[in-house]
């Protein structure tokens, strides 16, 4: 799980019952709030150069709604209570998880999960080739860490995916279990150390998921407006262009 998604997991656990967020109120204020992590490229960055695809998506969505985007930077769970944002990007569209979060979501607009990043010279062609002689970098506490360990494959744990990709480049590990977005952005920003990206396990549901826009306490009008705006942004190629600027090729949701 990326820093952004890990953060989101914290965020949604803290959102309590509240009144619906009105589309009229957002238009009256002239802005819609996006919750994002300030230091989690390619997802979002407070530094703003580049801003991250979550911020660019938020800006595009705000333009479609005729308002400006307000960024609510969130680092700790204590800040999340007072964030007051309206939307979060890259929400895992899982019914069970959503029951816990109380977030409403749009229709999924891409599919992602956990991939295996490998050195270009690696002889591995699939995750089935992992064995007791291969060490895999995993994010601490992740599902991937648990599943790989169950296969009796040695692992090395990291706090952030970028750290495991750096370890891979430094030949400290043989593979890294990371999101395709982080691996793709690593290739874009490290052209001399590019990695090969393959699926970790297409058949494992917990390693593959659809992604949607999460809405915090939307009323029906806001939910319909965001859904319609996202559909327009997908149809005119805006969504694809935003993610491609970070090296990410979107897969259709399933």
């Amino acid at each position: 799980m990326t820093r952004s998604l890990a953060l989101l997991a914290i965020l949604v656990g803290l959102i309590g019952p509240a009144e619906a967020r009105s589309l009229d109120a957002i238009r009256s204020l002239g802005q819609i709030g996006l919750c994002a992590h300030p230091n989690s490229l390619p997802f979002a960055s407070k530094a703003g150069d580049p801003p991250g695809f979550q911020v660019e998506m938020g800006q595009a969505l705000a333009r479609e709604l005729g308002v400006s985007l307000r960024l609510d930077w969130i680092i700790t769970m204590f800040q999340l209570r007072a964030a007051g944002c309206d939307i979060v990007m890259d929400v895992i569209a899982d019914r069970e998880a959503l029951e816990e979060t109380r977030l409403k979501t749009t229709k999924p607009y891409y599919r992602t999960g956990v991939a295996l990043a490998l050195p270009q010279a690696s002889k591995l062609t699939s995750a089935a080739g992992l064995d007791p002689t291969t060490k895999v970098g995993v994010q601490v506490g992740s599902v991937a860490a648990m599943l790989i360990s169950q296969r009796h494959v040695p692992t090395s744990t990291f706090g952030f995916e970028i750290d495991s990709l750096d370890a891979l480049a430094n030949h400290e590990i043989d593979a890294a279990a990371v999101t395709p977005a982080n691996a793709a952005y690593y290739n874009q920003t490290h052209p001399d150390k590019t990695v090969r990206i393959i699926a970790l396990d297409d058949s494992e549901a917990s390693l593959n998921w659809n992604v949607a826009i999460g809405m915090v306490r939307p009323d029906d009008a806001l939910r319909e407006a965001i859904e319609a705006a996202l559909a327009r942004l997908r149809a005119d190629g805006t969504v694809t262009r935003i993610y491609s600027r970070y090296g990410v090729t979107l897969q259709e949701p399933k």
Side-chain angles (χ1 to χ4, degrees):
M1 181 179 286
T2 69
R3 281 182 290 187
S4 288
L5 293 177
L7 181 64
L8 176 60
I10 298 170
L11 165 64
V12 295
L14 291 174
I15 297 173
E19 294 181 359
R21 182 77 68 176
S22 160
L23 176 61
D24 288 341
I26 287 173
R27 285 181 168 160
S28 177
L29 291 170
Q31 59 180 210
I32 186 168
L34 168 68
C35 272
H37 192 286
N39 184 27
S40 61
L41 283 175
F43 297 89
S45 169
K46 189 175 183 179
D49 185 24
F53 52 69
Q54 291 184 345
V55 175
E56 293 198 43
M57 280 289 294
Q59 292 168 337
L61 193 64
R63 284 195 296 271
E64 289 293 318
L65 298 177
V67 298
S68 62
L69 182 70
R70 186 191 73 244
L71 292 167
D72 295 310
W73 301 113
I74 295 173
I75 298 175
T76 71
M77 65 178 68
F78 301 107
Q79 293 174 295
L80 300 177
R81 290 181 181 275
C85 58
D86 303 294
I87 53 175
V88 287
M89 297 293 174
D90 297 279
V91 173
I92 297 175
D94 177 82
R95 179 176 298 177
E96 182 177 347
L98 292 172
E99 287 178 355
E100 298 176 0
T101 67
R102 300 187 182 93
L103 281 175
K104 304 298 183 184
T105 66
T106 62
K107 294 178 182 176
Y109 65 100
Y110 77 95
R111 187 167 182 79
T112 185
V114 182
L116 203 60
L118 301 166
Q120 294 292 347
S122 174
K123 295 181 180 179
L124 286 173
T125 57
S126 73
L130 295 174
D131 60 32
T133 69
T134 52
K135 179 176 283 188
V136 181
V138 296
Q139 192 165 23
V140 61
S142 65
V143 173
M146 179 188 69
L147 293 176
I148 291 172
S149 294
Q150 288 176 347
R151 299 179 187 182
H152 306 294
V153 175
T155 61
S156 183
T157 56
F158 296 88
F160 302 108
E161 292 186 352
I162 183 62
D163 296 331
S164 63
L165 289 166
D166 284 338
L168 184 66
N170 293 330
H171 310 291
E172 298 168 14
I173 54 178
D174 302 299
V178 297
T179 56
N182 270 326
Y185 188 63
Y186 189 86
N187 282 347
Q188 185 181 72
T189 54
H190 298 75
D192 57 332
K193 299 178 180 178
T194 61
V195 298
R196 185 157 51 88
I197 307 168
I198 63 175
L200 179 55
D201 192 340
D202 285 333
S203 64
E204 176 57 59
S206 61
L207 297 178
N208 300 274
W209 54 80
N210 291 330
V211 173
I213 297 174
M215 296 169 282
V216 183
R217 307 185 299 273
D219 68 351
D220 290 343
L222 178 59
R223 187 173 181 172
E224 292 172 3
I226 290 178
E227 193 79 74
L230 176 60
R232 292 193 295 273
L233 293 171
R234 292 187 70 189
D236 69 9
T238 298
V239 175
T240 299
R241 286 193 294 274
I242 287 174
Y243 281 81
S244 67
R245 281 198 281 272
Y246 298 85
V248 179
T249 300
L250 295 184
Q251 305 298 318
E252 286 295 314
K254 295 181 180 178

